[in-house]
Amino acid sequence: QVQLVESGGGLVQAGGSLRLSCAASGRTLSSYAMGWFRQAPEKEREFVAAISRSGRNTNYADSAKGRFTISRDNAKNMVYLQMNSLKPADTAVYYCAADLAMGITYSSATMSTYDYWGQGTQVTVSS
């Protein structure tokens, strides 16, 4: 089992940047593919970015491509989401999730494949 705690959210103006962090405890993070999802008010939770166990493979939602970067440091049991050129539409609660994956190149954009979730961190982008 793994516990996930997100941090780094806050209020930022449009065009600004934030770096979200996800700290994992319990089982070593290298056993998990990791993902970031977000949920805006009155909307369904949606995929943002994912990274394989090795960190060599990533995939992004179209809305995140070119602006967001997911990364991980398995030695520190940390996952990050660097968000640049933020827009008001990025306002949401951002969640970190862990997928107990067999393959080191595997990552998923599907919520149901993830086994563990953090509590979320609020990101608010003002216009």
Side-chain angles (χ1 to χ4, degrees):
Q1 191 170 356
V2 65
Q3 293 78 42
L4 304 172
V5 178
E6 303 93 337
S7 62
L11 174 64
V12 64
Q13 288 188 333
S17 298
L18 283 174
R19 187 195 197 201
L20 304 184
S21 298
C22 174
S25 60
R27 190 168 177 171
T28 178
L29 196 63
S30 61
S31 298
Y32 297 88
M34 300 297 295
W36 285 97
F37 293 78
R38 68 186 183 186
Q39 187 166 16
E42 300 182 357
K43 292 188 177 181
E44 294 186 353
R45 194 171 298 189
E46 64 177 8
F47 170 71
V48 176
I51 189 166
S52 62
R53 288 172 54 193
S54 66
R56 295 176 183 175
N57 299 84
T58 59
N59 63 82
Y60 297 91
D62 287 343
S63 60
K65 287 178 182 176
R67 299 189 300 127
F68 294 3
T69 302
I70 188 171
S71 62
R72 65 190 297 159
D73 186 336
N74 286 340
K76 295 182 178 179
N77 266 10
M78 296 290 295
V79 179
Y80 307 99
L81 185 68
Q82 178 67 42
M83 304 187 295
N84 299 327
S85 302
L86 283 162
K87 306 173 183 179
D90 295 317
T91 295
V93 177
Y94 283 72
Y95 298 90
C96 174
D99 178 356
L100 185 59
M102 297 301 292
I104 62 172
T105 62
Y106 164 89
S107 66
S108 174
T110 305
M111 281 196 301
S112 61
T113 65
Y114 286 83
D115 303 287
Y116 302 101
W117 293 81
Q119 292 300 307
T121 185
Q122 176 70 47
V123 171
T124 303
V125 184
S126 63
S127 57

